[in-house]
């Protein structure tokens, strides 16, 4: 990044109404996101076993992964505003319906569907953030996005505790209404922009793209415009995403980092207990991480955004692994605090850049799918990490922390190999074929139309 990267205040002042709408909608939605936190308690309250409730929560998680993938496809085909509004409307309706389904198999299906609907908006929201802001502001804007997300997720359970004391009906209806509110915000304040198809002209879109590197009235970057115009027509979809080998290396880094990062929720409480410390110590360590991320990530991003993307992601991944590795050292409570500080800094350094990167390097017509593909390995890591971590803890004890360091070292290599420091070079247009001379009487306009329709021809 350039040393002239904008400050926090400059970025905030220049954000378009569409970006503010997304940030506000995300905060409201996450502030009312009670279902995942209280689903197990609710189902046990209704008389089902803890095992059945756990299966329902697992169904929600599976639905979340599927929903992100489906959301990427819907985003690229139907546009951002439609995807966000549809996702939130479906999530709201399904959440309210969970109160009235009588059978366990119906509960499992509804939980699966809620997970899918509630996460389908994510690729569209992230793609909009990329398109509605200049390239030099992407990392900072994603730090803002994470701040809105984390503030909502922090305050949501506290509000949920107050609501559940009255009734679960009030809790879930509140969740449903906040989802619908986000959808209405999207319909009211977001422009009906749609990503152009391959080879289509993109100048003058709602996002404001204007040529390579320029910005339009909507504040969006135009870096992808030339790429889309020059890109040959070919099979798209996730097949093209997974044919990008460098991007697959980046996804591998995300998966390994997620497997390591989630151990602070699965293995760290066991480690603190075995050290003879109270659960209060563990609670303080988790609170320390939340406090640092909420209060310090945006100011720290002021400096991190100047780093090349490859350096920021690799440094963040490495610090997360180092911090968890430090838990293996017998340094008492002070050592636990130091280790938590280190991996928290790693989270703040790497995550905003890693969040912005997929949308920056994706072809415009596949931006939703690229962003969705980046969310899946993280969700898989968060799902598999606790099982693998606790199994490793049972076998090796504190050796699990050394394993975290090893996995993070591999993740650093994968990040260095997979992350480009800038947007990819546009694919070269195919060499023009020999054009025969126009036959007598053929109007020049007809020849021009035939040439302009050829794949790779300038538009």
């Amino acid at each position: 990044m350039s040393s002239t990267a904008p400050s926090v205040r400059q970025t905030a002042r220049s954000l378009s109404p569409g970006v503010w709408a997304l940030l506000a909608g995300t905060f409201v939605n996450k502030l009312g996101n009670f279902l995942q936190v209280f689903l197990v308690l609710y189902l046990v309250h209704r008389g089902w076993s803890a095992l059945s409730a756990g299966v329902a929560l697992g169904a929600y998680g599976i639905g979340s992964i599927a929903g992100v993938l489906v959301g990427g496809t819907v985003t690229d085909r139907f546009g951002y505003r439609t995807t966000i509004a549809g996702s939130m409307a479906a999530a709201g309706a399904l959440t309210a319906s969970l109160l009235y389904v009588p059978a366990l198999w119906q509960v499992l299906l509804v939980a699966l569907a809620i997970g899918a609907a509630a996460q389908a908006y994510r690729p569209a929201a992230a793609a909009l953030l990329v398109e509605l802001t200049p390239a030099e502001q992407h990392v900072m804007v994603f730090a803002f996005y994470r701040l809105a997300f984390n503030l909502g997720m922090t305050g949501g359970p506290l509000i949920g505790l107050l609501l559940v004391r009255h009734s679960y009906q009030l809790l879930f209806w509140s969740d449903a209404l906040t989802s619908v509110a986000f959808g209405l915000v999207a319909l009211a304040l977001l422009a009906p922009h749609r990503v152009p198809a391959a080879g289509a002209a993109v100048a003058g879109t709602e996002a404001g793209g204007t040529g390579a590197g320029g910005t339009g009235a909507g504040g969006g970057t135009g870096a992808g415009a030339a790429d889309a115009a020059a890109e040959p027509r070919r099979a798209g979809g996730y097949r093209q995403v997974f044919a990008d080998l460098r991007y697959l290396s980046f996804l591998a880094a995300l998966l390994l980092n997620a497997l390591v990062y989630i151990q602070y929720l699965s293995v760290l409480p066991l480690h603190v207990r075995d050290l003879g410390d109270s659960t209060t110590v563990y609670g303080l360590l988790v609170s320390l991480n939340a406090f640092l991320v909420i209060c310090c990530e945006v100011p720290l991003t002021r400096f991190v955004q100047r780093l090349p993307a490859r350096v920021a992601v690799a440094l963040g991944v490495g610090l997360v692994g180092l911090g968890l590795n430090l838990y293996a050292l017998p340094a008492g409570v002070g050592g636990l605090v130091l280790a938590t500080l280190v991996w928290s800094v790693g989270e703040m350094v790497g995550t905003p850049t890693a969040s912005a990167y997929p949308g920056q390097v994706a072809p415009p017509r596949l931006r939703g799918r690229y962003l969705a593909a980046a969310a899946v390995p993280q969700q898989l890591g968060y799902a598999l990490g606790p099982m693998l971590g606790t199994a490793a803890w049972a076998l090796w004890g504190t050796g699990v922390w050394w394993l975290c360091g090893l996995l993070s070292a591999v993740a650093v290599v994968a990040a260095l190999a997979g992350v480009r420091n800038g947007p990819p070079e546009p694919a070269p247009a195919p060499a023009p074929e020999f054009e025969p001379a126009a036959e007598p009487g053929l109007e020049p306009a007809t020849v021009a139309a035939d040439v302009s329709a050829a794949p790779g021809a300038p538009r």
Side-chain angles (χ1 to χ4, degrees), residues 13 31 39 81 87 105 123 144 167 171 194 201 206 232 239 277 298 300 316 350 387 392 414 426 432 457:
R13 286 179 174 177
L31 193 65
L39 179 60
R81 185 177 71 170
S87 168
W105 68 269
F144 287 164
S167 71
L171 180 80
R194 180 176 175 182
E206 294 289 344
R239 181 170 55 182
D277 296 313
V298 169
L300 181 62
M387 294 183 290

Side-chain angles (χ1 to χ4, degrees), residues 6 26 44 96 102 130 144 150 183 220 236 282 290 294 307 330 333 380 402 424 439 454:
T26 298
V44 171
V130 170
F144 287 164
N150 288 322
Y282 171 68
I294 290 174
L307 299 175
V333 174
L380 284 175
W402 297 107
E439 298 179 5

